[in-house]
Amino acid sequence: MAQTTVSPKFQVVIPKEVRQQVPIFKGQRLGVIVKNGLITLVPDRPIAEMRGFLRGIPTEGVREKKDRM
């Protein structure tokens, strides 16, 4: 598991082995999500990059909004 240290200014460096596995780049913005004491960094991607990512998923058996809990 990769580790990093929090600086006196509360900054962290993303370890090289992690950067090589995840397509992030210098200056990219990351969303920060905190849940149950766990911090998750999520790369902010342009909406245009999302185009077509749901293509081909099955839509059969999807409930109507009124039928959801």
Side-chain angles (χ1 to χ4, degrees), residues 3 5-6 8 10 23 30 36 42 44 47 52 60 63 65 69:
Q3 293 185 339
T5 304
V6 179
F10 295 93
L30 300 173
N36 297 330
V42 182
D44 184 25
I47 193 71
E60 297 169 4
R63 297 178 301 185
K65 189 171 186 176
M69 296 182 103

Side-chain angles (χ1 to χ4, degrees), residues 5 9 22 24 47 50 53-54 59 62 65:
T5 304
K9 293 184 178 183
V22 181
I24 58 174
I47 193 71
M50 304 295 278
F53 84 101
L54 293 176
T59 57
V62 177
K65 189 171 186 176

Side-chain angles (χ1 to χ4, degrees), residues 35-51:
K35 185 174 183 180
N36 297 330
L38 183 67
I39 301 169
T40 305
L41 300 176
V42 182
D44 184 25
R45 296 193 175 132
I47 193 71
E49 192 176 300
M50 304 295 278
R51 184 177 182 160

Side-chain angles (χ1 to χ4, degrees), residues 8-23:
K9 293 184 178 183
F10 295 93
Q11 297 172 329
V12 295
V13 173
I14 299 172
K16 185 176 182 178
E17 62 187 76
V18 174
R19 294 190 317 259
Q20 290 173 335
Q21 295 176 34
V22 181

